Amino acid sequence: SHTDGGSFIYTLDQSKQVLTCADKFGKKVESVSDAKPEVTLFNQVAGTFPARDPVPPWRDGVPTGRGRFPSDGGLKTSATLTNVKTLQTIIQESDYPILSKALDNLVRSAGEDGLQFTETIETLTWLRDRFYPTGGKKRSSILAMIDKYLVNLFQSIPEIKKTNKKLPYLLAMQGDKINKNTSEKETLVIQATGFPPEGDDGVSRIIVEAYKNGWKKFIVFGLTGQRFCGCGLGADSDGVQIDLYGSSGDYTASGLDGAEIYIHNSAQDQIGQILKRGKLVIFGHVGQTFMYGAKGGEVYVLGNAAGRPLINGVGKPRVIINGTCLDYLAESFMAGDPLKGGGFAILNGLRFNDNGILEELETPYPGGNLFSLATGGAIYVRDPDRKVDQTQLHGGQFVPFTNDDWQLIKPYLEENERLFGISIKEHLLKANGQSPPMAGPAGPAKKPEEIYRKIRPALGEVMQTFTEDM
């Protein structure tokens, strides 16, 4: 990119045992020096897990179903909210041993009933997905602890071959036979350990076969790069939800047509290719050629996208990237007029720092060839300081951002707020210390058109009409 040179230089001072990092231009890249890591070695290493705990006692009461994770609407019960607030306080104010003990107690108590089990999953998932102050602890250490206890929790679920109909979850492992399911309330939990990266015996095929047998709710944990999760479900897979934990592999959610996939981590390359319909949420960054040839879908990325996202998009994909991306965003985009049902991408240019504070990036788009050779669609860039300029475009042009544009993208930004905690009022419509219109006397009002800019293809009238009809 034109801001960091596209490469980094690492220097090891052997005498002092100090490793420093600088960008191509010699500018030092700093890390958080006062954040303390947790040095305890956990059992979860490279896809191996501790021995299964005994199946916990379960009450006779059957919960109404696990509902949605916090990724789809926030914390569902007062108990979950209490859990989250308690653990956030411990993270900020206590040490690692106390945090570990609190997480251990939470997981052990989850075995008492199905509803409490669901609340525990939601609590740990929220703490993994969201950013918040860490009290001087390294976020990576906190996530390692949360991941350990999520694995323990999932492994405590009764195995599918020991079917217990009182529970809303059943655990399947490599080699298990997936029986037919007629309940909308049950979730199939798949431990990915030992599954090959792809092929007939891969995790993705197990999901497809289970879906054919009536399963619609899935949790996959322990992923170590297994590819194609969510692929092969076929047309009209509405009602299917897949939550992925671990390191999901390439091509996840490609060809999706109606299902919802939540990646509770960063994603790899070729994610969401030729995606047609459905919802994809990524609680991290995403790799190269994200959504190549996508035809539709609703997609939310908490972090950054690597190079060449949304190439050759057609139809009506609707995408929010809250960070930034490398070169060639939406190259050859052919998604018509967004105000007439076409597609668009929103680039917010924000990031959470290690203290859980949302801040603006140096520029919302550091690369070139933005909207290169595009013939339809639009890019909405959060750029209050007008840092993106015409030289970074290749076939695109800045056009006025209207109230119609704001009414179009606002519902997606509201969903983005619900998923990631990025507030329209407190974050997106604030810039340079200013307050949004609804914030009262704290500062001058910032209107959406002062914050967002719209980029459209620079096309002749005939070509524009043609692409809008595609």
Side-chain angles (χ1 to χ4, degrees):
S1 72
H2 75 266
T3 56
D4 61 28
S7 63
F8 298 91
I9 301 169
Y10 293 88
T11 304
L12 175 63
D13 185 332
Q14 292 185 343
S15 63
K16 298 180 180 178
Q17 292 294 295
V18 174
L19 181 69
T20 58
C21 176
D23 64 22
K24 183 177 180 179
F25 303 113
K27 181 181 177 182
K28 189 175 181 180
V29 178
E30 298 280 1
S31 62
V32 180
S33 58
D34 59 348
K36 297 179 180 179
E38 165 56 40
V39 297
T40 303
L41 295 177
F42 295 115
N43 290 322
Q44 181 189 359
V45 179
T48 63
F49 301 96
R52 288 173 54 84
D53 292 332
V55 176
W58 295 86
R59 294 176 180 170
D60 293 335
V62 180
T64 58
R66 78 179 179 93
R68 300 294 193 182
F69 284 132
S71 58
D72 191 49
L75 304 170
K76 290 296 186 183
T77 69
S78 59
T80 310
L81 179 60
T82 299
N83 289 342
V84 166
K85 287 184 175 181
T86 299
L87 285 165
Q88 280 187 294
T89 300
I90 292 172
I91 288 170
Q92 293 180 54
E93 300 180 0
S94 301
D95 56 19
Y96 285 112
I98 293 177
L99 173 60
S100 180
K101 183 65 175 177
L103 291 170
D104 186 70
N105 289 339
L106 177 72
V107 170
R108 288 183 181 277
S109 66
E112 295 182 2
D113 62 64
L115 179 59
Q116 191 168 348
F117 197 94
T118 295
E119 291 168 343
T120 303
I121 295 176
E122 293 184 347
T123 298
L124 295 175
T125 299
W126 194 98
L127 291 170
R128 156 155 268 292
D129 291 343
R130 293 294 189 97
F131 282 79
Y132 40 82
T134 60
K137 301 177 183 65
K138 281 189 117 17
R139 175 173 165 80
S140 58
S141 291
I142 293 172
L143 293 184
M145 296 178 77
I146 292 171
D147 286 343
K148 171 192 173 182
Y149 286 105
L150 272 168
V151 168
N152 289 344
L153 186 67
F154 292 143
Q155 287 189 325
S156 70
I157 294 170
E159 297 176 27
I160 192 168
K161 56 190 174 187
K162 302 175 182 177
T163 303
N164 183 341
K165 289 298 183 182
K166 294 181 180 180
L167 308 179
Y169 305 91
L170 289 173
L171 177 65
M173 292 181 274
Q174 189 180 27
D176 284 345
K177 180 181 178 181
I178 310 300
N179 299 320
K180 288 188 178 295
N181 177 49
T182 58
S183 173
E184 291 284 334
K185 299 176 182 178
E186 288 189 329
T187 297
L188 183 65
V189 181
I190 303 172
Q191 179 169 323
T193 308
F195 279 92
E198 58 187 71
D200 291 341
D201 296 324
V203 172
S204 63
R205 294 305 307 167
I206 298 299
I207 294 174
V208 171
E209 293 305 313
Y211 172 58
K212 291 179 180 178
N213 279 334
W215 294 88
K216 287 192 174 183
K217 307 296 182 186
F218 300 88
I219 294 173
V220 184
F221 73 98
L223 286 160
T224 53
Q226 286 88 348
R227 305 183 184 97
F228 302 107
C229 287
C231 300
L233 297 174
D236 302 321
S237 56
D238 302 74
V240 173
Q241 180 178 320
I242 305 172
D243 288 272
L244 303 177
Y245 296 81
S247 180
S248 56
D250 297 342
Y251 299 101
T252 297
S254 292
L256 203 67
D257 188 6
E260 298 181 9
I261 295 182
Y262 298 86
I263 301 176
H264 300 283
N265 205 333
S266 289
Q268 303 300 321
D269 297 338
Q270 290 92 41
I271 304 300
Q273 292 202 0
I274 60 174
L275 194 156
K276 184 178 180 182
R277 283 190 316 113
K279 185 175 183 179
L280 172 62
V281 181
I282 300 171
F283 291 90
H285 307 299
V286 64
Q288 299 282 348
T289 57
F290 163 58
M291 292 192 74
Y292 178 91
K295 299 175 175 62
E298 190 175 323
V299 182
Y300 302 85
V301 180
L302 175 59
N304 302 324
R308 297 179 180 272
L310 281 78
I311 290 179
N312 291 338
V314 298
K316 54 179 180 180
R318 305 312 182 54
V319 181
I320 295 182
I321 300 171
N322 285 288
T324 186
C325 59
L326 301 180
D327 291 335
Y328 292 96
L329 170 60
E331 180 184 27
S332 301
F333 207 60
M334 301 172 283
D337 184 345
L339 297 177
K340 298 180 181 179
F344 60 82
I346 301 172
L347 193 64
N348 278 330
L350 301 171
R351 70 176 176 190
F352 284 97
N353 64 23
D354 289 317
N355 293 316
I357 304 301
L358 196 65
E359 58 189 19
E360 293 182 353
L361 295 170
E362 183 177 348
T363 175
Y365 184 74
N369 294 292
L370 176 59
F371 229 29
S372 174
L373 306 177
T375 56
I379 305 292
Y380 295 104
V381 182
R382 187 186 178 280
D383 189 16
D385 296 322
R386 300 322 193 232
K387 292 181 178 179
V388 179
D389 61 50
Q390 189 67 40
T391 63
Q392 294 174 261
L393 310 185
H394 186 187
Q397 62 181 345
F398 291 104
V399 297
F401 181 92
T402 67
N403 183 61
D404 287 341
D405 292 305
W406 177 243
Q407 296 305 319
L408 171 67
I409 70 173
K410 185 178 178 182
Y412 296 92
L413 294 175
E414 290 172 341
E415 175 66 2
N416 188 68
E417 177 176 341
R418 199 161 54 85
L419 291 167
F420 303 132
I422 300 176
S423 168
I424 296 175
K425 175 181 177 180
E426 297 299 330
H427 300 132
L428 297 180
L429 292 182
K430 283 188 176 180
N432 299 324
Q434 310 297 332
S435 298
M438 61 286 288
K446 282 287 184 179
K447 300 177 181 178
E449 59 267 29
E450 296 178 281
I451 297 290
Y452 283 93
R453 305 172 74 189
K454 181 179 181 180
I455 303 171
R456 287 278 283 148
L459 296 172
E461 182 177 344
V462 174
M463 188 63 176
Q464 182 68 57
T465 301
F466 172 76
T467 58
E468 290 173 358
D469 292 337
M470 290 183 65

